[in-house]
Structure formats: structure tokens, C-alpha cells
Amino acid sequence: AACGRHFFIGGGTLCPRSFFERKAMWQVLKELILAIFYPHYCPACHEEVEGTGLLCEACRRSTYAPGYLELEKETVPHLDAVYRLYRYEGGIKRALHGLKYEKRWDYLDRMGEEVLHHEADLEPLFTGNPFVVALPTDPKRRKTRGYEIPPAIFGPYLKKHAMILTQALWRQRTTKPQYGLSRAERRENLWGSFALHPVKLDGTVIVIDDIATTGASLEEAARLLKEGGAEKVVGLVLASNAPQRQF
């Protein structure tokens, strides 16, 4: 007997449960084929990784350090909080370097799957249905790489939980790479680099990015987002070595 709710496909019917069970079977088959012919190795220890994710279980445990970062409010007055998942070291650091400078496309999906390992820790952050905005990549770097890193990292989590990215920010000028710049140089480098799309914001906005060092990029985004109506701006990054807040 067919279930009460069904899809019509090619003139017949298919129960949703059967549809998703078949989809899951194909996904399992795809992962099995990839594991056999294209095994993935942990970028930290180079051991083969079983299943999904970027890191092996041992390296994941050694670098996973979720929590809010300690902010110096005088330097980031518009930014209310920053939450990180990993310390910026080991396999996470190597993989992000590969994505940015070596066109390691193979890390993109693995990064998104890595975030999905930590859904329970992220859930409180998204309570209340906040806006989600990606920190925009410099257009020249995006063209060179062929992809944007923050949406690739957090996109699978957002998609799974039926959340969308709000296109609230865009890059209006090219900036120098932030690496090696002092805190003051970072702020000067980023000032006026972002612009706000004409969108209506309110409540909480979560800004996603790959790395937080001094918080200068997130602060510049927060400044604009609050001008656009946001009441609270929280950064969410994959990795950071900034001190963690002590409660």
C-alpha cells in the first residue's frame, strides 16, 4: 500500500520514504566507490580517513576546541562575539592553506562534512532563526581559486538545517592579504572594503568565515551590518588561535 503522501515520478508514484532510502543508498555507494579508488588521507598525520570528514578521529580530537573567543572590545566595538570550532593548527591549518594557495578542490566537500560532525555544538548558535551572512571574498582571489571558502565550509550545515545565506555584504575594492599585517594595518587595509546590499536586517546576524586572527574582518562586517539594522553580530569561524573566553 502506498503511503498517504507521495511523489509522482514518470507517471507512477514513489513514497517519500522509498525515495530518500534510495537516495541514501546511492550516497553510500558513491562514498564506497570514492573510498576504494580515491582514498582521502588526513592532512595532519596522513593516515587514511574512514568515512566522511577532513581529519582522522585522533587529529580531530586533538585540535577541536569549540567556544567563544576573548574579545578586546576597544578594538572590535561592533562585534558582539566570535565562536570557533578548531584551533588553527595541524590538519585544519594545512587544509585551509591548501584551499587558499594550492587549489585543493578535494578539501572543499571534506571541510563541509567536518562541520557536520559538530552539529550539536552549533545548534545553540542558530537559536531564534538568525540571519547568516558570509564574509565576502576578494573578487580576484575568488576568480583565481574558482570557489569561495566560507560558504563551502558551512554550506552543508546550513543546507541540512534549511537555512540560507543572506547576500548582505559585497567587496567593493581589492585588499592586500591580511597575513603578516599588524592589527592596525589590518584595520586600515579593510576599512571601506565591504559594502552593504540594500537588505532589511534585524535581530542577530551570524557572519561566517574560515579564520579569525585579530577579528578585523569580522569587525568591519559587523560595523556595516549594524548600520543596516542588525542588533547583534556574532562571528562563526572554522579556526582561530585567539584566546578562548573563560567563564
Side-chain angles (χ1 to χ4, degrees), residues 166-224:
T166 299
Q167 301 300 315
L169 296 172
W170 59 282
R171 287 258 187 175
Q172 63 179 356
R173 70 172 177 84
T174 298
T175 57
K176 295 184 293 186
Q178 293 281 80
Y179 181 77
L181 299 181
S182 68
R183 185 186 295 272
E185 289 171 334
R186 286 170 181 258
R187 287 200 302 270
E188 183 179 352
N189 185 41
L190 287 164
W191 181 263
S193 61
F194 302 146
L196 190 67
H197 281 299
V199 295
K200 182 176 175 57
L201 300 170
D202 56 26
T204 299
V205 177
I206 294 178
V207 182
I208 58 172
D209 200 10
D210 52 354
I211 307 167
T213 306
T214 65
S217 299
L218 292 171
E219 164 61 19
E220 178 64 7
R223 182 181 68 82
L224 287 172

Side-chain angles (χ1 to χ4, degrees), residues 92-105:
I92 292 293
K93 183 175 182 178
R94 291 174 189 167
L96 285 173
H97 185 277
L99 282 173
K100 289 189 173 191
Y101 306 111
E102 300 168 5
K103 295 188 178 181
R104 289 297 304 265
W105 293 74

